[in-house]
Amino acid sequence: MLRVCLIGAADVDFHYFKLLKMKKPDFERHVEEIAGSLVNSGSEIVLLPNRGVSFEVAKKYKELGGRKVFGTVPVSDSDFGIKHLREFIDAEINGKKIVDEEIDTGTWYKQDLTHCLFGDVVLVLGVSLGALGELSYGYYLYKLFLGKKPNVSVLKEKIHPKVVAGSKVPFATIVYKPFVKKKLPFEIETYVKDCGGRVFYAESASEIKEIIEEFGE
């Protein structure tokens, strides 16, 4: 069983409807199909409980009987706080909480650096400033775990005891092509591969399931 970390844009109207020119019914169909593929692959999911595409997928995932939802939450942050997250942390669907278990990431700074490391696989549902930052920093720390930075050695357990990236399979990223304009920047993708990561592009939700299931073979 793999855990899939969801990242994407928070402002759905701006990113998907304005930038990508997507119609709302098409967006909702994609969300349902993605959630269904995650459920059918037997995956757990992890996300920051906040507004945006990731939470929309998490809601549908839970509605469809998904296995487990983890929420990464910077509980100890005093610079920005988490008041704006509370409605998402506590949200329910069909009488059950959407977020089954919280992972305390400490501060927002550490949240952004470590978020992707709580998944075996990162599913990119849109390339926003925050999403690209989370992805880049996740692989940067992964590189340190592997000892690929001269004179720097970091144990993943020291960063956070619940980090799972690289534990079961090589840390991988799936980019959902209907939710992005282009592939990842050439340089970013090359750095990911150089540190042992893998990058896949899924044309459809069914391909997400196929890619995830390949990891278990």
mmCIF file with all atom_site columns, all heavy atoms in Angstrom, residues 39-62:
data_model
loop_
_atom_site.group_PDB
_atom_site.id
_atom_site.type_symbol
_atom_site.label_atom_id
_atom_site.label_alt_id
_atom_site.label_comp_id
_atom_site.label_asym_id
_atom_site.label_entity_id
_atom_site.label_seq_id
_atom_site.pdbx_PDB_ins_code
_atom_site.Cartn_x
_atom_site.Cartn_y
_atom_site.Cartn_z
_atom_site.occupancy
_atom_site.B_iso_or_equiv
_atom_site.pdbx_formal_charge
_atom_site.auth_seq_id
_atom_site.auth_comp_id
_atom_site.auth_asym_id
_atom_site.auth_atom_id
_atom_site.pdbx_PDB_model_num
ATOM 1   N N   . VAL A 1 39 ? -8.681  5.558  -4.944 1.00 0.00 ? 39 VAL A N   1
ATOM 2   C CA  . VAL A 1 39 ? -9.400  4.561  -4.144 1.00 0.00 ? 39 VAL A CA  1
ATOM 3   C C   . VAL A 1 39 ? -9.145  3.164  -4.701 1.00 0.00 ? 39 VAL A C   1
ATOM 4   O O   . VAL A 1 39 ? -8.802  2.228  -3.972 1.00 0.00 ? 39 VAL A O   1
ATOM 5   C CB  . VAL A 1 39 ? -10.914 4.861  -4.124 1.00 0.00 ? 39 VAL A CB  1
ATOM 6   C CG1 . VAL A 1 39 ? -11.677 3.709  -3.478 1.00 0.00 ? 39 VAL A CG1 1
ATOM 7   C CG2 . VAL A 1 39 ? -11.195 6.159  -3.378 1.00 0.00 ? 39 VAL A CG2 1
ATOM 8   N N   . ASN A 1 40 ? -9.295  3.021  -6.011 1.00 0.00 ? 40 ASN A N   1
ATOM 9   C CA  . ASN A 1 40 ? -9.178  1.696  -6.639 1.00 0.00 ? 40 ASN A CA  1
ATOM 10  C C   . ASN A 1 40 ? -7.754  1.147  -6.618 1.00 0.00 ? 40 ASN A C   1
ATOM 11  O O   . ASN A 1 40 ? -7.557  -0.069 -6.708 1.00 0.00 ? 40 ASN A O   1
ATOM 12  C CB  . ASN A 1 40 ? -9.686  1.762  -8.078 1.00 0.00 ? 40 ASN A CB  1
ATOM 13  C CG  . ASN A 1 40 ? -11.182 2.010  -8.150 1.00 0.00 ? 40 ASN A CG  1
ATOM 14  O OD1 . ASN A 1 40 ? -11.924 1.669  -7.231 1.00 0.00 ? 40 ASN A OD1 1
ATOM 15  N ND2 . ASN A 1 40 ? -11.639 2.632  -9.222 1.00 0.00 ? 40 ASN A ND2 1
ATOM 16  N N   . SER A 1 41 ? -6.765  2.033  -6.488 1.00 0.00 ? 41 SER A N   1
ATOM 17  C CA  . SER A 1 41 ? -5.385  1.564  -6.391 1.00 0.00 ? 41 SER A CA  1
ATOM 18  C C   . SER A 1 41 ? -5.035  1.142  -4.966 1.00 0.00 ? 41 SER A C   1
ATOM 19  O O   . SER A 1 41 ? -3.941  0.614  -4.720 1.00 0.00 ? 41 SER A O   1
ATOM 20  C CB  . SER A 1 41 ? -4.420  2.669  -6.837 1.00 0.00 ? 41 SER A CB  1
ATOM 21  O OG  . SER A 1 41 ? -4.414  3.743  -5.917 1.00 0.00 ? 41 SER A OG  1
ATOM 22  N N   . GLY A 1 42 ? -5.951  1.383  -4.018 1.00 0.00 ? 42 GLY A N   1
ATOM 23  C CA  . GLY A 1 42 ? -5.706  1.027  -2.621 1.00 0.00 ? 42 GLY A CA  1
ATOM 24  C C   . GLY A 1 42 ? -4.796  1.989  -1.896 1.00 0.00 ? 42 GLY A C   1
ATOM 25  O O   . GLY A 1 42 ? -4.303  1.689  -0.808 1.00 0.00 ? 42 GLY A O   1
ATOM 26  N N   . SER A 1 43 ? -4.572  3.155  -2.482 1.00 0.00 ? 43 SER A N   1
ATOM 27  C CA  . SER A 1 43 ? -3.641  4.119  -1.900 1.00 0.00 ? 43 SER A CA  1
ATOM 28  C C   . SER A 1 43 ? -4.244  4.887  -0.725 1.00 0.00 ? 43 SER A C   1
ATOM 29  O O   . SER A 1 43 ? -5.452  5.141  -0.681 1.00 0.00 ? 43 SER A O   1
ATOM 30  C CB  . SER A 1 43 ? -3.211  5.147  -2.954 1.00 0.00 ? 43 SER A CB  1
ATOM 31  O OG  . SER A 1 43 ? -2.625  4.527  -4.064 1.00 0.00 ? 43 SER A OG  1
ATOM 32  N N   . GLU A 1 44 ? -3.379  5.264  0.197  1.00 0.00 ? 44 GLU A N   1
ATOM 33  C CA  . GLU A 1 44 ? -3.710  6.287  1.177  1.00 0.00 ? 44 GLU A CA  1
ATOM 34  C C   . GLU A 1 44 ? -3.323  7.623  0.553  1.00 0.00 ? 44 GLU A C   1
ATOM 35  O O   . GLU A 1 44 ? -2.544  7.662  -0.392 1.00 0.00 ? 44 GLU A O   1
ATOM 36  C CB  . GLU A 1 44 ? -2.920  6.079  2.469  1.00 0.00 ? 44 GLU A CB  1
ATOM 37  C CG  . GLU A 1 44 ? -3.200  4.756  3.150  1.00 0.00 ? 44 GLU A CG  1
ATOM 38  C CD  . GLU A 1 44 ? -2.316  4.528  4.370  1.00 0.00 ? 44 GLU A CD  1
ATOM 39  O OE1 . GLU A 1 44 ? -1.218  5.122  4.419  1.00 0.00 ? 44 GLU A OE1 1
ATOM 40  O OE2 . GLU A 1 44 ? -2.719  3.732  5.242  1.00 0.00 ? 44 GLU A OE2 1
ATOM 41  N N   . ILE A 1 45 ? -3.874  8.723  1.085  1.00 0.00 ? 45 ILE A N   1
ATOM 42  C CA  . ILE A 1 45 ? -3.480  10.023 0.558  1.00 0.00 ? 45 ILE A CA  1
ATOM 43  C C   . ILE A 1 45 ? -3.085  10.958 1.700  1.00 0.00 ? 45 ILE A C   1
ATOM 44  O O   . ILE A 1 45 ? -3.516  10.790 2.840  1.00 0.00 ? 45 ILE A O   1
ATOM 45  C CB  . ILE A 1 45 ? -4.578  10.685 -0.303 1.00 0.00 ? 45 ILE A CB  1
ATOM 46  C CG1 . ILE A 1 45 ? -5.829  10.995 0.525  1.00 0.00 ? 45 ILE A CG1 1
ATOM 47  C CG2 . ILE A 1 45 ? -4.910  9.813  -1.500 1.00 0.00 ? 45 ILE A CG2 1
ATOM 48  C CD1 . ILE A 1 45 ? -6.862  11.829 -0.248 1.00 0.00 ? 45 ILE A CD1 1
ATOM 49  N N   . VAL A 1 46 ? -2.229  11.930 1.369  1.00 0.00 ? 46 VAL A N   1
ATOM 50  C CA  . VAL A 1 46 ? -1.814  12.939 2.339  1.00 0.00 ? 46 VAL A CA  1
ATOM 51  C C   . VAL A 1 46 ? -1.869  14.292 1.646  1.00 0.00 ? 46 VAL A C   1
ATOM 52  O O   . VAL A 1 46 ? -1.527  14.421 0.467  1.00 0.00 ? 46 VAL A O   1
ATOM 53  C CB  . VAL A 1 46 ? -0.398  12.645 2.901  1.00 0.00 ? 46 VAL A CB  1
ATOM 54  C CG1 . VAL A 1 46 ? 0.632   12.572 1.803  1.00 0.00 ? 46 VAL A CG1 1
ATOM 55  C CG2 . VAL A 1 46 ? -0.003  13.672 3.946  1.00 0.00 ? 46 VAL A CG2 1
ATOM 56  N N   . LEU A 1 47 ? -2.326  15.312 2.370  1.00 0.00 ? 47 LEU A N   1
ATOM 57  C CA  . LEU A 1 47 ? -2.445  16.651 1.811  1.00 0.00 ? 47 LEU A CA  1
ATOM 58  C C   . LEU A 1 47 ? -2.429  17.675 2.921  1.00 0.00 ? 47 LEU A C   1
ATOM 59  O O   . LEU A 1 47 ? -2.606  17.337 4.103  1.00 0.00 ? 47 LEU A O   1
ATOM 60  C CB  . LEU A 1 47 ? -3.747  16.800 1.019  1.00 0.00 ? 47 LEU A CB  1
ATOM 61  C CG  . LEU A 1 47 ? -5.045  16.902 1.843  1.00 0.00 ? 47 LEU A CG  1
ATOM 62  C CD1 . LEU A 1 47 ? -6.117  17.645 1.046  1.00 0.00 ? 47 LEU A CD1 1
ATOM 63  C CD2 . LEU A 1 47 ? -5.559  15.528 2.251  1.00 0.00 ? 47 LEU A CD2 1
ATOM 64  N N   . LEU A 1 48 ? -2.213  18.923 2.542  1.00 0.00 ? 48 LEU A N   1
ATOM 65  C CA  . LEU A 1 48 ? -2.422  20.033 3.460  1.00 0.00 ? 48 LEU A CA  1
ATOM 66  C C   . LEU A 1 48 ? -3.913  20.327 3.448  1.00 0.00 ? 48 LEU A C   1
ATOM 67  O O   . LEU A 1 48 ? -4.470  20.637 2.389  1.00 0.00 ? 48 LEU A O   1
ATOM 68  C CB  . LEU A 1 48 ? -1.647  21.265 2.987  1.00 0.00 ? 48 LEU A CB  1
ATOM 69  C CG  . LEU A 1 48 ? -1.972  22.571 3.716  1.00 0.00 ? 48 LEU A CG  1
ATOM 70  C CD1 . LEU A 1 48 ? -1.495  22.532 5.156  1.00 0.00 ? 48 LEU A CD1 1
ATOM 71  C CD2 . LEU A 1 48 ? -1.373  23.760 2.972  1.00 0.00 ? 48 LEU A CD2 1
ATOM 72  N N   . PRO A 1 49 ? -4.607  20.225 4.595  1.00 0.00 ? 49 PRO A N   1
ATOM 73  C CA  . PRO A 1 49 ? -6.050  20.488 4.611  1.00 0.00 ? 49 PRO A CA  1
ATOM 74  C C   . PRO A 1 49 ? -6.315  21.979 4.440  1.00 0.00 ? 49 PRO A C   1
ATOM 75  O O   . PRO A 1 49 ? -6.288  22.754 5.404  1.00 0.00 ? 49 PRO A O   1
ATOM 76  C CB  . PRO A 1 49 ? -6.495  19.995 5.995  1.00 0.00 ? 49 PRO A CB  1
ATOM 77  C CG  . PRO A 1 49 ? -5.337  19.225 6.550  1.00 0.00 ? 49 PRO A CG  1
ATOM 78  C CD  . PRO A 1 49 ? -4.116  19.818 5.920  1.00 0.00 ? 49 PRO A CD  1
ATOM 79  N N   . ASN A 1 50 ? -6.587  22.387 3.224  1.00 0.00 ? 50 ASN A N   1
ATOM 80  C CA  . ASN A 1 50 ? -6.793  23.792 2.892  1.00 0.00 ? 50 ASN A CA  1
ATOM 81  C C   . ASN A 1 50 ? -7.669  23.845 1.643  1.00 0.00 ? 50 ASN A C   1
ATOM 82  O O   . ASN A 1 50 ? -7.899  22.821 0.993  1.00 0.00 ? 50 ASN A O   1
ATOM 83  C CB  . ASN A 1 50 ? -5.442  24.469 2.637  1.00 0.00 ? 50 ASN A CB  1
ATOM 84  C CG  . ASN A 1 50 ? -5.523  25.990 2.691  1.00 0.00 ? 50 ASN A CG  1
ATOM 85  O OD1 . ASN A 1 50 ? -6.571  26.558 2.985  1.00 0.00 ? 50 ASN A OD1 1
ATOM 86  N ND2 . ASN A 1 50 ? -4.422  26.652 2.389  1.00 0.00 ? 50 ASN A ND2 1
ATOM 87  N N   . ARG A 1 51 ? -8.118  25.019 1.290  1.00 0.00 ? 51 ARG A N   1
ATOM 88  C CA  . ARG A 1 51 ? -8.910  25.146 0.075  1.00 0.00 ? 51 ARG A CA  1
ATOM 89  C C   . ARG A 1 51 ? -8.062  24.745 -1.130 1.00 0.00 ? 51 ARG A C   1
ATOM 90  O O   . ARG A 1 51 ? -6.839  24.839 -1.098 1.00 0.00 ? 51 ARG A O   1
ATOM 91  C CB  . ARG A 1 51 ? -9.404  26.596 -0.096 1.00 0.00 ? 51 ARG A CB  1
ATOM 92  C CG  . ARG A 1 51 ? -8.309  27.583 -0.438 1.00 0.00 ? 51 ARG A CG  1
ATOM 93  C CD  . ARG A 1 51 ? -8.831  29.015 -0.462 1.00 0.00 ? 51 ARG A CD  1
ATOM 94  N NE  . ARG A 1 51 ? -7.765  29.937 -0.858 1.00 0.00 ? 51 ARG A NE  1
ATOM 95  C CZ  . ARG A 1 51 ? -7.750  30.637 -1.984 1.00 0.00 ? 51 ARG A CZ  1
ATOM 96  N NH1 . ARG A 1 51 ? -8.756  30.521 -2.839 1.00 0.00 ? 51 ARG A NH1 1
ATOM 97  N NH2 . ARG A 1 51 ? -6.747  31.454 -2.262 1.00 0.00 ? 51 ARG A NH2 1
ATOM 98  N N   . GLY A 1 52 ? -8.722  24.282 -2.175 1.00 0.00 ? 52 GLY A N   1
ATOM 99  C CA  . GLY A 1 52 ? -7.978  23.963 -3.384 1.00 0.00 ? 52 GLY A CA  1
ATOM 100 C C   . GLY A 1 52 ? -8.280  22.590 -3.944 1.00 0.00 ? 52 GLY A C   1
ATOM 101 O O   . GLY A 1 52 ? -9.092  21.822 -3.418 1.00 0.00 ? 52 GLY A O   1
ATOM 102 N N   . VAL A 1 53 ? -7.584  22.277 -5.028 1.00 0.00 ? 53 VAL A N   1
ATOM 103 C CA  . VAL A 1 53 ? -7.839  21.045 -5.755 1.00 0.00 ? 53 VAL A CA  1
ATOM 104 C C   . VAL A 1 53 ? -7.550  19.801 -4.919 1.00 0.00 ? 53 VAL A C   1
ATOM 105 O O   . VAL A 1 53 ? -8.279  18.800 -5.005 1.00 0.00 ? 53 VAL A O   1
ATOM 106 C CB  . VAL A 1 53 ? -7.025  21.029 -7.065 1.00 0.00 ? 53 VAL A CB  1
ATOM 107 C CG1 . VAL A 1 53 ? -5.526  21.001 -6.790 1.00 0.00 ? 53 VAL A CG1 1
ATOM 108 C CG2 . VAL A 1 53 ? -7.426  19.855 -7.951 1.00 0.00 ? 53 VAL A CG2 1
ATOM 109 N N   . SER A 1 54 ? -6.507  19.842 -4.104 1.00 0.00 ? 54 SER A N   1
ATOM 110 C CA  . SER A 1 54 ? -6.158  18.660 -3.305 1.00 0.00 ? 54 SER A CA  1
ATOM 111 C C   . SER A 1 54 ? -7.283  18.296 -2.351 1.00 0.00 ? 54 SER A C   1
ATOM 112 O O   . SER A 1 54 ? -7.619  17.110 -2.185 1.00 0.00 ? 54 SER A O   1
ATOM 113 C CB  . SER A 1 54 ? -4.864  18.910 -2.523 1.00 0.00 ? 54 SER A CB  1
ATOM 114 O OG  . SER A 1 54 ? -3.779  19.096 -3.393 1.00 0.00 ? 54 SER A OG  1
ATOM 115 N N   . PHE A 1 55 ? -7.885  19.309 -1.726 1.00 0.00 ? 55 PHE A N   1
ATOM 116 C CA  . PHE A 1 55 ? -8.970  19.020 -0.790 1.00 0.00 ? 55 PHE A CA  1
ATOM 117 C C   . PHE A 1 55 ? -10.219 18.545 -1.531 1.00 0.00 ? 55 PHE A C   1
ATOM 118 O O   . PHE A 1 55 ? -10.958 17.703 -1.019 1.00 0.00 ? 55 PHE A O   1
ATOM 119 C CB  . PHE A 1 55 ? -9.293  20.246 0.058  1.00 0.00 ? 55 PHE A CB  1
ATOM 120 C CG  . PHE A 1 55 ? -10.105 19.915 1.280  1.00 0.00 ? 55 PHE A CG  1
ATOM 121 C CD1 . PHE A 1 55 ? -9.512  19.305 2.377  1.00 0.00 ? 55 PHE A CD1 1
ATOM 122 C CD2 . PHE A 1 55 ? -11.462 20.190 1.327  1.00 0.00 ? 55 PHE A CD2 1
ATOM 123 C CE1 . PHE A 1 55 ? -10.256 18.971 3.499  1.00 0.00 ? 55 PHE A CE1 1
ATOM 124 C CE2 . PHE A 1 55 ? -12.212 19.867 2.448  1.00 0.00 ? 55 PHE A CE2 1
ATOM 125 C CZ  . PHE A 1 55 ? -11.607 19.263 3.533  1.00 0.00 ? 55 PHE A CZ  1
ATOM 126 N N   . GLU A 1 56 ? -10.447 19.070 -2.740 1.00 0.00 ? 56 GLU A N   1
ATOM 127 C CA  . GLU A 1 56 ? -11.587 18.602 -3.521 1.00 0.00 ? 56 GLU A CA  1
ATOM 128 C C   . GLU A 1 56 ? -11.434 17.118 -3.853 1.00 0.00 ? 56 GLU A C   1
ATOM 129 O O   . GLU A 1 56 ? -12.395 16.353 -3.788 1.00 0.00 ? 56 GLU A O   1
ATOM 130 C CB  . GLU A 1 56 ? -11.713 19.427 -4.807 1.00 0.00 ? 56 GLU A CB  1
ATOM 131 C CG  . GLU A 1 56 ? -12.056 20.893 -4.591 1.00 0.00 ? 56 GLU A CG  1
ATOM 132 C CD  . GLU A 1 56 ? -13.330 21.077 -3.782 1.00 0.00 ? 56 GLU A CD  1
ATOM 133 O OE1 . GLU A 1 56 ? -14.343 20.430 -4.119 1.00 0.00 ? 56 GLU A OE1 1
ATOM 134 O OE2 . GLU A 1 56 ? -13.292 21.858 -2.803 1.00 0.00 ? 56 GLU A OE2 1
ATOM 135 N N   . VAL A 1 57 ? -10.219 16.715 -4.185 1.00 0.00 ? 57 VAL A N   1
ATOM 136 C CA  . VAL A 1 57 ? -9.963  15.295 -4.458 1.00 0.00 ? 57 VAL A CA  1
ATOM 137 C C   . VAL A 1 57 ? -10.123 14.471 -3.182 1.00 0.00 ? 57 VAL A C   1
ATOM 138 O O   . VAL A 1 57 ? -10.709 13.385 -3.200 1.00 0.00 ? 57 VAL A O   1
ATOM 139 C CB  . VAL A 1 57 ? -8.551  15.097 -5.057 1.00 0.00 ? 57 VAL A CB  1
ATOM 140 C CG1 . VAL A 1 57 ? -8.178  13.613 -5.108 1.00 0.00 ? 57 VAL A CG1 1
ATOM 141 C CG2 . VAL A 1 57 ? -8.481  15.704 -6.448 1.00 0.00 ? 57 VAL A CG2 1
ATOM 142 N N   . ALA A 1 58 ? -9.636  15.001 -2.052 1.00 0.00 ? 58 ALA A N   1
ATOM 143 C CA  . ALA A 1 58 ? -9.738  14.281 -0.778 1.00 0.00 ? 58 ALA A CA  1
ATOM 144 C C   . ALA A 1 58 ? -11.195 14.059 -0.377 1.00 0.00 ? 58 ALA A C   1
ATOM 145 O O   . ALA A 1 58 ? -11.554 12.977 0.115  1.00 0.00 ? 58 ALA A O   1
ATOM 146 C CB  . ALA A 1 58 ? -8.996  15.040 0.318  1.00 0.00 ? 58 ALA A CB  1
ATOM 147 N N   . LYS A 1 59 ? -12.029 15.058 -0.579 1.00 0.00 ? 59 LYS A N   1
ATOM 148 C CA  . LYS A 1 59 ? -13.459 14.923 -0.262 1.00 0.00 ? 59 LYS A CA  1
ATOM 149 C C   . LYS A 1 59 ? -14.080 13.795 -1.073 1.00 0.00 ? 59 LYS A C   1
ATOM 150 O O   . LYS A 1 59 ? -14.800 12.941 -0.537 1.00 0.00 ? 59 LYS A O   1
ATOM 151 C CB  . LYS A 1 59 ? -14.201 16.233 -0.545 1.00 0.00 ? 59 LYS A CB  1
ATOM 152 C CG  . LYS A 1 59 ? -13.990 17.322 0.464  1.00 0.00 ? 59 LYS A CG  1
ATOM 153 C CD  . LYS A 1 59 ? -14.992 18.453 0.309  1.00 0.00 ? 59 LYS A CD  1
ATOM 154 C CE  . LYS A 1 59 ? -14.880 19.144 -1.020 1.00 0.00 ? 59 LYS A CE  1
ATOM 155 N NZ  . LYS A 1 59 ? -15.778 20.321 -1.119 1.00 0.00 ? 59 LYS A NZ  1
ATOM 156 N N   . LYS A 1 60 ? -13.808 13.798 -2.357 1.00 0.00 ? 60 LYS A N   1
ATOM 157 C CA  . LYS A 1 60 ? -14.393 12.772 -3.221 1.00 0.00 ? 60 LYS A CA  1
ATOM 158 C C   . LYS A 1 60 ? -13.791 11.397 -2.916 1.00 0.00 ? 60 LYS A C   1
ATOM 159 O O   . LYS A 1 60 ? -14.497 10.377 -2.934 1.00 0.00 ? 60 LYS A O   1
ATOM 160 C CB  . LYS A 1 60 ? -14.165 13.152 -4.686 1.00 0.00 ? 60 LYS A CB  1
ATOM 161 C CG  . LYS A 1 60 ? -14.833 12.240 -5.677 1.00 0.00 ? 60 LYS A CG  1
ATOM 162 C CD  . LYS A 1 60 ? -16.347 12.161 -5.466 1.00 0.00 ? 60 LYS A CD  1
ATOM 163 C CE  . LYS A 1 60 ? -17.054 13.478 -5.761 1.00 0.00 ? 60 LYS A CE  1
ATOM 164 N NZ  . LYS A 1 60 ? -18.534 13.298 -5.762 1.00 0.00 ? 60 LYS A NZ  1
ATOM 165 N N   . TYR A 1 61 ? -12.499 11.367 -2.620 1.00 0.00 ? 61 TYR A N   1
ATOM 166 C CA  . TYR A 1 61 ? -11.822 10.121 -2.236 1.00 0.00 ? 61 TYR A CA  1
ATOM 167 C C   . TYR A 1 61 ? -12.514 9.502  -1.014 1.00 0.00 ? 61 TYR A C   1
ATOM 168 O O   . TYR A 1 61 ? -12.788 8.295  -0.983 1.00 0.00 ? 61 TYR A O   1
ATOM 169 C CB  . TYR A 1 61 ? -10.366 10.442 -1.940 1.00 0.00 ? 61 TYR A CB  1
ATOM 170 C CG  . TYR A 1 61 ? -9.550  9.365  -1.258 1.00 0.00 ? 61 TYR A CG  1
ATOM 171 C CD1 . TYR A 1 61 ? -8.855  8.409  -1.993 1.00 0.00 ? 61 TYR A CD1 1
ATOM 172 C CD2 . TYR A 1 61 ? -9.418  9.338  0.130  1.00 0.00 ? 61 TYR A CD2 1
ATOM 173 C CE1 . TYR A 1 61 ? -8.071  7.443  -1.372 1.00 0.00 ? 61 TYR A CE1 1
ATOM 174 C CE2 . TYR A 1 61 ? -8.645  8.384  0.758  1.00 0.00 ? 61 TYR A CE2 1
ATOM 175 C CZ  . TYR A 1 61 ? -7.973  7.435  0.002  1.00 0.00 ? 61 TYR A CZ  1
ATOM 176 O OH  . TYR A 1 61 ? -7.203  6.489  0.648  1.00 0.00 ? 61 TYR A OH  1
ATOM 177 N N   . LYS A 1 62 ? -12.801 10.315 -0.020 1.00 0.00 ? 62 LYS A N   1
ATOM 178 C CA  . LYS A 1 62 ? -13.445 9.813  1.193  1.00 0.00 ? 62 LYS A CA  1
ATOM 179 C C   . LYS A 1 62 ? -14.883 9.382  0.905  1.00 0.00 ? 62 LYS A C   1
ATOM 180 O O   . LYS A 1 62 ? -15.350 8.360  1.414  1.00 0.00 ? 62 LYS A O   1
ATOM 181 C CB  . LYS A 1 62 ? -13.402 10.893 2.271  1.00 0.00 ? 62 LYS A CB  1
ATOM 182 C CG  . LYS A 1 62 ? -13.505 10.371 3.698  1.00 0.00 ? 62 LYS A CG  1
ATOM 183 C CD  . LYS A 1 62 ? -12.332 9.463  4.016  1.00 0.00 ? 62 LYS A CD  1
ATOM 184 C CE  . LYS A 1 62 ? -12.363 8.963  5.439  1.00 0.00 ? 62 LYS A CE  1
ATOM 185 N NZ  . LYS A 1 62 ? -12.046 10.008 6.419  1.00 0.00 ? 62 LYS A NZ  1
#
